[in-house]
């Protein structure tokens, strides 16, 4: 499985497409043959070439409009999504997670051999156009979806992806910013600064978040994603948590799964030749806080609040690949009835916990291959279980069967009755038992009184007979 996800990375990074910008304007050079042509820009902080050249505001807007002609409008993007769904309805579905400030639906495409159905398979999400003036991602994600649609059951790698993962693609998180040709949304808020932050009390009021931010947060409450990538422009690097520091200073500040994130980012970078050769970012990867700290970002929020391993892919103005999974996966069951348990999974020595799904009790935990790990499963009311593993190059299946904790009050029930009498049903059961015991005791007491009476009467008769 680890090898499969490496193939997934390689496929999406090196054989799908190439978008290149030339000095003085945008040239759409989309290559789906695996041959990459064109030059790659240096890792600037702006998407469009020569954007720092002094222009009047009118000239700047006119230039943006000229550059934007080569991109799909919001209505064209929606039509492309719906067209793909009609063409590949057996392996796709389309749904909306909400609307933007201006009421534009935030359309998501799910691509899978069983779209809309829960399976014990990892789910991934890809988000483009977080910033309105970074539109390359929305184009690339549509290309990715169409490539999978056109090549399913034809190309072995496309088939492998569709059959083994649930891929959720949100081409544009910020359609209003795109139409307005600016970074922020219609309220001019940077959506990648609008999430709750772990270091500082900001964005803590749920009602104050932007509609697009609320949509993402609801989405992750409803669905469990293993990994994610958000696509940005302006540099050529794979960025990983943490994005900020406790004192707002710039230095390397890794999260508990720092080694795993570095591994994921390196897979991305080394599948993207020009990124891996970066002179600004060794190996083409960077810790967010070491690059430049931000607060209220989506990447850290994903990891902290949804146990979703998200990379921020700065794809600049060239091409885009993908992120994915390595590590362990499995399911968790109860030993007494075989019920699936939504238990917690932790790795000893790593201060990070993920949770199995409620329905299927499956989990997917990213880890660096080649290491020794102790995997611990915990669940209230059950004895914790742990196992030590040596993770090779391929992902490993680690299932758990957990024993319920036996207490004096339920030991009798577990020996003679099913323990599936929760809450008030259990209380009613005990009441019935007490009533039956009372009736039985009364019967015994009454029987003893009757027997004593008859015995006494027999004795009296014997005395009279004498």
């Amino acid at each position: 499985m680890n090898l499969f996800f490496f193939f997934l990375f390689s496929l999406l990074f090196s054989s799908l497409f190439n978008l290149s910008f030339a000095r003085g304007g945008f040239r759409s050079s989309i290559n789906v043959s695996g041959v990459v042509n064109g030059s790659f820009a240096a890792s600037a902080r702006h998407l469009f070439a020569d954007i720092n050249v002094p222009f009047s505001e009118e000239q700047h807007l006119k230039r943006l409009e000229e550059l934007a002609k080569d991109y799909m409008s919001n209505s064209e993007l929606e039509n492309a999504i719906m067209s793909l769904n009609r063409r590949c309805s057996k392996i796709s579905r389309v749904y909306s997670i909400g609307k933007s400030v201006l009421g534009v639906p935030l359309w998501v495409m799910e691509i899978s051999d069983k779209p809309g159905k829960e399976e014990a398979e990892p789910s991934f999400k890809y988000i483009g156009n977080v910033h309105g003036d970074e539109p390359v991602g929305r184009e690339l994600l549509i290309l990715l979806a169409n490539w999978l649609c056109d090549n399913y059951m034809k190309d072995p790698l496309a088939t492998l992806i569709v059959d083994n993962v649930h891929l959720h693609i949100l081409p544009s998180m910020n359609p209003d910013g795109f139409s307005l040709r600016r970074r922020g949304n219609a309220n001019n808020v940077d959506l990648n600064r609008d999430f709750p932050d772990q270091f500082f009390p900001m964005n803590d009021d749920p009602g104050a978040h932007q509609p697009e931010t609320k949509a993402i947060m609801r989405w992750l409450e409803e669905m469990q994603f293993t990994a994610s990538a958000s696509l940005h422009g302006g540099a050529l690097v794979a960025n990983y948590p943490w994005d900020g520091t406790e004192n707002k200073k710039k230095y390397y500040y890794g999260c508990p799964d720092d080694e795993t994130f570095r591994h994921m980012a390196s897979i991305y970078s080394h599948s993207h030749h020009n990124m891996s050769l970066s002179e600004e970012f060794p190996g083409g990867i960077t810790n967010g806080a070491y690059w430049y700290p931000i607060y209220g970002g989506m990447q850290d929020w994903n990891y902290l609040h949804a146990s979703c391993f998200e990379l921020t892919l700065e794809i600049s103005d060239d091409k885009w690949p993908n992120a994915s999974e390595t590590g362990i996966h499995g399911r968790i069951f109860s030993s007494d009835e075989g019920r699936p348990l939504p238990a917690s999974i932790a790795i000893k020595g790593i201060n990070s916990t993920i949770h199995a799904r409620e329905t299927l009790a499956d989990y997917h935990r990213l880890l660096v291959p080649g290491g020794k790990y102790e995997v611990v499963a915990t669940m209230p009311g059950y004895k914790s279980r742990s196992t030590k593993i040596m993770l090779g190059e391929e992902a490993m299946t680690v299932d758990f069967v957990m024993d319920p904790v036996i207490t004096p009050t339920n030991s009798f029930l577990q020996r003679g009755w099913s323990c599936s009498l929760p809450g008030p049903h259990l209380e009613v059961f005990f009441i019935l038992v007490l009533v039956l015991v009372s009736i039985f005791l009364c019967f015994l007491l009454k029987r003893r009184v009757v027997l004593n009476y008859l015995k006494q009467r027999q004795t009296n008769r014997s005395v009279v007979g004498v």
Side-chain angles (χ1 to χ4, degrees):
M1 190 172 179
N2 203 2
L3 184 60
F4 156 65
F5 286 112
F6 176 75
F7 282 153
L8 174 62
F9 282 168
S10 300
L11 167 68
L12 298 177
F13 292 167
S14 61
S15 66
L16 283 182
F17 26 69
N18 169 40
L19 292 178
S20 63
F21 287 87
R23 191 175 185 85
F26 170 75
R27 295 176 185 171
S28 180
S29 175
I30 302 172
N31 187 333
V32 298
S33 65
V35 180
V36 177
N37 298 312
S39 60
F40 293 85
S43 52
R45 294 296 174 86
H46 299 281
L47 175 63
F48 300 113
D50 293 339
I51 206 77
N52 287 321
V53 176
F55 287 120
S56 68
E57 184 176 355
E58 183 179 353
Q59 289 175 315
H60 175 66
L61 291 175
K62 184 177 179 180
R63 181 171 175 74
L64 288 179
E65 288 299 325
E66 285 295 319
L67 292 172
K69 287 180 180 179
D70 291 284
Y71 290 96
M72 288 182 286
S73 66
N74 287 333
S75 59
E76 290 171 335
L77 179 66
E78 180 175 331
N79 290 337
I81 292 171
M82 299 305 172
S83 174
L84 180 141
N85 185 52
R86 287 192 298 269
R87 188 160 49 88
C88 297
S89 58
K90 290 184 178 180
I91 64 167
S92 70
R93 74 178 178 111
V94 172
Y95 63 97
S96 172
I97 60 170
K99 293 184 177 181
S100 68
V101 173
L102 299 180
V104 179
L106 304 178
W107 295 112
V108 175
M109 298 175 287
E110 179 188 5
I111 298 179
S112 167
D113 62 334
K114 295 182 179 66
K117 295 183 179 180
E118 280 195 307
E119 297 183 275
E121 294 179 351
S123 295
F124 300 93
K125 63 179 172 68
Y126 300 97
I127 300 176
N129 204 196
V130 178
H131 292 133
D133 59 352
E134 298 172 7
V136 176
R138 54 193 267 152
E139 301 277 336
L140 297 182
L141 290 176
I142 285 291
L143 284 172
L144 168 60
N146 276 282
W147 188 88
L148 291 171
C149 172
D150 293 338
N151 289 279
Y152 179 59
M153 301 304 290
K154 298 176 184 177
D155 183 282
L157 289 179
T159 304
L160 198 63
I161 295 169
V162 175
D163 285 346
N164 288 275
V165 301
H166 284 258
L167 186 63
H168 298 255
I169 299 173
L170 172 62
S172 181
M173 179 181 168
N174 187 5
D176 296 349
F178 172 79
S179 62
L180 294 168
R181 312 289 186 253
R182 68 186 185 196
R183 180 182 179 90
N185 68 351
N187 292 329
N188 207 19
V189 173
D190 187 333
L191 298 178
N192 202 35
R193 306 293 188 273
D194 194 41
F195 288 83
D197 189 80
Q198 62 172 321
F199 298 118
F200 300 99
M202 56 188 298
N203 306 328
D204 291 334
D205 180 4
H209 295 129
Q210 296 299 301
E212 299 89 347
T213 308
K214 291 178 181 177
I216 296 293
M217 296 173 73
R218 283 195 306 267
W219 192 20
L220 269 71
E221 288 177 1
E222 297 167 359
M223 303 195 67
Q224 187 168 330
F225 294 100
T226 300
S228 172
S230 64
L231 278 58
H232 295 256
L236 196 62
V237 66
N239 180 99
Y240 56 90
W242 297 125
D243 262 340
T245 61
E246 296 174 311
N247 56 11
K248 295 190 176 183
K249 293 183 178 180
K250 174 185 169 182
Y251 54 87
Y252 193 107
Y253 198 36
C255 71
D257 280 289
D258 184 66
E259 188 178 2
T260 298
F261 272 107
R262 288 179 59 86
H263 178 70
M264 291 171 60
S266 294
I267 289 178
Y268 170 92
S269 175
H270 286 92
S271 296
H272 188 312
H273 180 70
N274 290 70
M275 181 178 290
S276 65
L277 298 179
S278 170
E279 295 183 1
E280 181 180 357
F281 304 102
I285 67 174
T286 187
N287 171 259
Y290 183 75
W291 184 15
Y292 66 100
I294 71 166
Y295 301 92
M298 184 168 65
Q299 175 178 264
D300 287 5
W301 183 88
N302 266 264
Y303 177 67
L304 279 171
H305 296 278
S307 300
C308 177
F309 287 53
E310 178 162 296
L311 293 177
T312 300
L313 304 181
E314 297 283 351
I315 58 176
S316 190
D317 35 46
D318 303 303
K319 69 172 187 177
W320 173 75
N322 216 329
S324 252
E325 179 198 30
T326 61
I328 60 173
H329 56 91
R331 299 181 70 185
I332 308 166
F333 300 93
S334 170
S335 63
D336 55 349
E337 296 179 339
R339 292 185 296 109
L341 299 175
S344 300
I345 295 292
I347 306 299
K348 189 172 181 179
I350 300 179
N351 186 24
S352 174
T353 301
I354 65 169
H355 303 279
R357 281 193 293 183
E358 291 280 344
T359 50
L360 299 176
D362 64 306
Y363 73 92
H364 303 268
R365 179 59 162 91
L366 299 172
L367 290 169
V368 177
K372 295 180 180 180
Y373 301 98
E374 183 173 349
V375 189
V376 183
T378 57
M379 174 81 181
Y382 289 81
K383 297 178 182 178
S384 64
R385 298 294 301 270
S386 66
T387 184
K388 294 181 179 180
I389 64 168
M390 179 67 188
L391 186 62
E393 287 302 313
E394 293 193 9
M396 181 181 294
T397 299
V398 182
D399 295 327
F400 287 95
V401 177
M402 302 183 70
D403 298 321
V405 175
I406 305 299
T407 62
T409 57
N410 66 14
S411 59
F412 167 76
L413 292 176
Q414 287 211 321
R415 286 195 298 269
W417 299 82
S418 168
C419 288
S420 57
L421 293 167
H425 300 291
L426 191 61
E427 296 176 4
V428 171
F429 175 80
F430 278 121
I431 292 172
L432 289 174
V433 170
L434 291 174
V435 170
L436 289 173
V437 170
S438 300
I439 293 173
F440 181 66
L441 290 175
C442 288
F443 172 75
L444 289 178
L445 182 61
K446 184 176 182 180
R447 185 170 180 271
R448 173 174 286 186
V449 170
V450 171
L451 288 174
N452 287 340
Y453 171 75
L454 292 175
K455 186 177 180 181
Q456 183 65 37
R457 186 174 180 182
Q458 184 66 32
T459 302
N460 291 340
R461 285 180 178 178
S462 299
V463 172
V464 171
V466 172

